[in-house]
Amino acid sequence: MSSLSLAEKEAIILANDSDPQRILNMLIAIQYGSEEGYIDEETAQLVGDHLHLSQARVYEILSFYAILKTEPQARYVLKICNSTPCLFTGGAMLAEVLETILEVPADEPTPDGLFMYHSIPCIGACDQGPVIKIKDTVFADLTEAKVYQLIDDLQRGCYQEL
Amino acid sequence: MIKRNQPVLLERVNKMRQATNVGEYQEYQGFSGLLKAIEMEKEAILDELDLAHLRGRGGAAFPLGKKWRHLYGAKGDTKYIVCNADEGEPGTFKDKALLKHDPLSVIEGMVIAGYLFSAKAGYIYMRGEYLGIQKIFQEALDNAEKAGFLGENILGIPGFNYNITIISGAGAYVCGENSALLNSIEGKTGRPRVKPPHLADVGLYLQPTLVNNVESFAGIPVILREGGQAYRELGTEDGGGTKLICLSGHIKNRGLYEVNLGTSLQDILYSEEYGGGSSTGRPLKFIHFGGQSGPIGAVQHLEDCIYSYEGLWDKNLSIGSGAIVVMDDQVSIVDYLVQVAAFFAHESCGKCTPCRLGTTRILELLTKFNNQTAVVGDLERLEKMLMHVTNLSACGLGQSVANPMKSGLAYFPEEFEAGIREAVAPVKGGLW
Ligand code: SF4
Ligand code: FES
């Protein structure tokens, strides 16, 4: 996946009618469409200009909402659910297993920039825990072996679309 | 005719091949609620809603008929209809099923509201975690518009112009709070507003606004189609209809179910039709109802419990969002509550001090109990802190943080006491 061009970003903004009401829709679409997985300054400026919002307003929004990021992310950001239904039905092992496989603590990208993992609250898949979410895709009913498999598959490029 | 023990909200969810197909939706009585509504006097629609006694399914359980009547009487030419689809309560995934597998029922409910209140614009605020579902929902909106159920002169009625826009959330639990949600729709940060004024009078863009949950909107067409009385009879005295429940935790058949209000809790937990009992082979110990902000009940005290509004109120519990999170006897209540507290400390929007700092203090105190480093006096400190956060917080998030903590303390005091290190001399003073 490559990052979005200026024209592609503008197309997303226009598809949302440059409507300030839909600023979150646009920011998420742009972020998920970009390889680095964050909204850089230039993009924040672009969105602000189209919506007639100051840079400060755009950053206020970027910093308030958890899904939006202002720093480059790893290629694959693995999100683990840390809410109680998942945590107490096997989810507690996920952080441990990921740390063992990836050899980095939470929130830190692996040296090759490929992986990063962190905990987030419930994603609405509580009946399928333990779960890992990458962008909009949920990997459910995980076991330790399945996590190894997932990392392996990601490394081998099985999930190019993510 | 609808009967008890018949799926009402999940009927189509389980049957439809293509959820966004209007023709198929109509094969299962879709849009017949709307067609009824436009034949009725507006006051008569409100009467049916009152009769149905549907309580808001988002968690607050406020009678929907009353809410709609309030908005009906509110002054203003521009009224907005908002569907709260920000489902972020851990343990809750019911709205997801409707949005994904029966979006047209939610749309129909919102169109009926649009008709009743002569609204031009409806919004559905859907959580950022449901991006794929946003696409499905958009397709359903487009199809509904093509079929003449949205847009200009809906159903050929001159002046009945109404559209629905999807607004995405972006990962903030507090946006499930209605006023925060409205701020977020306006393109602002989703921090709750100070109330009063009531949102029915001063809501979105300061205009009178109706905010209801996904499941509530999906129930509206059923009420109009079948009549308020028939809907009411599906439930109990204090709340009509069926309820979507989400079973998770240490229960064998985790998943989404639809039950009549008035079903026995034992059935929900143990019968094969629903939960099927413990998944771990260990006895079940406690149940967290309605999401993180809901109360906790001890399974052994709930043998005669009826799952209905009044049935749970009798036990100091509540239905909330419909989450039923079950834990077995190997889970320590203190350990569990630490995680709940961490959730609130993380999700507090920070606007008011009692909630911002209080949630952190609660987390610290519970952690002490969990690490068995609490000292004499900490229990009183915890209780006082819980009281302060409840009473001094500005919105529902802060006001309900104490629900799980207080009920956990009431049922399992010995587990807290075991966390107190007696060897340490009591700390003097320092009660907040
Ligand atoms: S109670 Fe908490 S979440 Fe609600 S407004 Fe205050 S700080 Fe924000
Ligand atoms: S609690 Fe983990 S997905 Fe809901």
Side-chain angles (χ1 to χ4, degrees):
Chain A
M1 188 207 290
S2 64
S3 269
L4 296 176
S5 65
L6 181 65
E8 286 169 314
K9 288 177 194 170
E10 279 184 327
I12 292 176
I13 297 170
L14 291 178
N16 284 290
D17 302 330
S18 303
D19 182 354
Q21 289 181 132
R22 278 142 73 182
I23 185 168
L24 297 177
N25 304 45
M26 322 175 186
L27 290 172
I28 292 179
I30 293 174
Q31 176 172 301
Y32 278 11
S34 79
E35 191 169 353
E36 300 82 12
Y38 80 113
I39 303 291
D40 59 22
E41 225 176 297
E42 196 188 328
T43 310
Q45 179 85 50
L46 180 77
V47 172
D49 287 349
H50 277 269
L51 272 52
H52 308 292
L53 297 174
S54 69
Q55 183 97 326
R57 277 291 309 282
V58 179
Y59 270 92
E60 191 190 6
I61 289 188
L62 290 174
S63 58
F64 184 79
Y65 294 96
I67 291 178
L68 300 172
K69 304 290 178 200
T70 52
E71 297 290 330
Q73 305 291 302
R75 172 78 176 81
Y76 298 110
V77 179
L78 313 172
K79 293 179 273 188
I80 314 168
C81 171
N82 66 350
S83 294
T84 51
C86 284
L87 203 61
F88 288 94
T89 49
M93 77 60 189
L94 290 175
E96 233 168 87
V97 173
L98 287 175
E99 185 168 354
T100 311
I101 309 178
L102 302 176
E103 298 174 338
V104 285
D107 288 323
E108 217 172 88
T110 50
D112 59 3
L114 210 49
F115 296 105
M116 184 164 145
Y117 65 95
H118 60 84
S119 299
I120 58 162
C122 179
I123 55 164
C126 335
D127 55 339
Q128 299 164 286
V131 292
I132 289 178
K133 189 170 178 185
I134 306 174
K135 285 198 173 156
D136 199 31
T137 301
V138 176
F139 297 89
D141 291 312
L142 295 172
T143 57
E144 217 175 303
K146 282 192 197 166
V147 179
Y148 274 91
Q149 184 68 50
L150 175 62
I151 299 293
D152 203 44
D153 289 347
L154 288 165
Q155 256 159 351
R156 288 188 295 116
C158 295
Y159 295 101
Q160 278 305 317
E161 73 285 4
L162 291 179
Chain B
M1 261 298 281
I2 37 171
K3 300 186 294 283
R4 284 186 80 85
N5 300 322
Q6 164 191 352
V8 178
L9 298 175
L10 293 184
E11 190 196 2
R12 277 184 295 259
V13 168
N14 294 329
K15 283 189 187 147
M16 288 215 349
R17 278 160 288 125
Q18 211 208 330
T20 59
N21 184 315
V22 174
E24 203 184 338
Y25 178 67
Q26 287 178 294
E27 279 170 35
Y28 296 105
Q29 299 184 293
F31 286 118
S32 50
L34 173 64
L35 294 176
K36 269 255 179 77
I38 60 168
E39 299 293 325
M40 290 163 74
E41 294 287 336
K42 292 192 169 178
E43 291 282 348
I45 297 179
L46 291 168
D47 291 342
E48 288 303 320
L49 296 180
D50 278 337
L51 197 58
H53 206 5
L54 165 61
R55 287 183 180 273
R57 301 294 198 232
F62 188 77
L64 180 132
K66 268 198 195 148
K67 198 183 216 179
W68 285 43
R69 217 173 259 284
H70 188 149
L71 187 77
Y72 192 70
K75 290 190 188 56
D77 296 333
T78 308
K79 293 182 181 174
Y80 290 112
I81 309 301
V82 173
C83 176
N84 183 343
D86 191 52
E87 181 163 79
E89 268 302 350
T92 314
F93 41 89
K94 64 184 176 85
D95 292 345
K96 179 171 111 175
L98 291 174
L99 297 167
K100 185 173 178 187
H101 300 293
D102 198 11
L104 288 161
S105 70
V106 183
I107 294 170
E108 186 179 350
M110 291 181 72
V111 176
I112 292 172
Y115 171 75
L116 178 63
F117 300 111
S118 308
K120 300 281 168 260
Y123 292 91
I124 178 160
Y125 185 88
M126 209 183 295
R127 64 180 308 201
E129 296 298 338
Y130 292 171
L131 281 188
I133 301 174
Q134 289 180 15
K135 293 205 182 74
I136 297 173
F137 203 88
Q138 185 61 51
E139 193 179 298
L141 286 173
D142 294 343
N143 291 348
E145 183 166 357
K146 266 184 236 141
F149 292 104
L150 279 172
E152 308 277 292
N153 303 325
I154 295 171
L155 295 166
I157 301 170
F160 184 9
N161 306 333
Y162 179 68
N163 268 308
I164 297 173
T165 307
I166 303 176
I167 306 287
S168 179
Y173 172 76
V174 73
C175 286
E177 199 276 343
N178 287 345
S179 67
L181 184 147
L182 296 187
N183 280 344
S184 189
I185 294 181
E186 291 180 8
K188 302 176 185 154
T189 52
R191 290 202 177 84
R193 298 177 185 175
V194 176
K195 280 163 286 179
H198 200 289
L199 299 180
D201 300 312
V202 184
L204 190 63
Y205 298 111
L206 307 182
Q207 301 299 321
T209 302
L210 176 82
V211 188
N212 272 129
N213 173 257
V214 170
E215 188 185 347
S216 304
F217 274 118
I220 300 295
V222 184
I223 294 173
L224 289 167
R225 192 182 79 212
E226 307 287 341
Q229 186 59 34
Y231 183 85
R232 178 180 207 137
E233 280 165 14
L234 298 174
T236 59
E237 190 52 37
D238 258 316
T242 59
K243 179 79 193 84
L244 297 183
I245 56 168
C246 308
L247 289 177
S248 67
H250 297 143
I251 194 101
K252 206 160 84 193
N253 311 323
R254 297 185 294 178
L256 175 70
Y257 301 89
E258 181 169 9
V259 298
N260 291 98
L261 286 166
T263 304
S264 110
L265 182 66
Q266 295 296 304
D267 259 12
I268 291 174
L269 293 182
Y270 297 106
S271 80
E272 278 307 321
E273 191 186 346
Y274 302 117
S278 165
S279 61
T280 60
R282 307 281 316 177
L284 300 179
K285 176 174 166 184
F286 64 88
I287 305 175
H288 196 172
F289 288 94
Q292 299 285 280
S293 57
I296 290 174
V299 170
Q300 66 173 109
H301 293 278
L302 297 174
E303 271 161 22
D304 57 344
C305 182
I306 300 297
Y307 192 79
S308 65
Y309 290 100
E310 62 273 39
L312 291 190
W313 288 335
D314 273 353
K315 307 269 182 200
N316 288 322
L317 299 168
S318 60
I319 281 184
S321 66
I324 300 182
V325 179
V326 191
M327 291 287 136
D328 74 11
D329 69 346
Q330 287 188 307
V331 178
S332 126
I333 189 81
V334 185
D335 192 15
Y336 184 89
L337 289 174
V338 167
Q339 310 305 330
V340 175
F343 174 82
F344 285 116
H346 182 255
E347 295 296 339
S348 165
C349 84
K351 183 169 166 166
C352 40
T353 321
C355 170
R356 184 180 64 245
L357 295 182
T359 48
T360 307
R361 292 291 98 83
I362 291 170
L363 172 60
E364 287 165 1
L365 272 168
L366 285 167
T367 307
K368 280 173 85 181
F369 283 99
N370 204 28
N371 296 342
Q372 300 187 321
T373 53
V375 295
V376 178
D378 275 349
L379 209 50
E380 290 72 17
R381 254 172 233 112
L382 176 63
E383 280 171 341
K384 205 151 204 173
M385 202 61 198
L386 292 173
M387 186 179 80
H388 285 175
V389 175
T390 309
N391 295 339
L392 301 174
S393 291
C395 91
L397 188 148
Q399 287 158 6
S400 56
V401 168
N403 290 341
M405 322 291 168
K406 279 200 279 198
S407 45
L409 248 169
Y411 282 116
F412 306 103
E414 66 290 350
E415 292 187 36
F416 286 82
E417 280 147 21
I420 300 175
R421 197 150 50 110
E422 296 291 354
V424 183
V427 181
K428 293 215 179 68
L431 273 189
W432 287 300

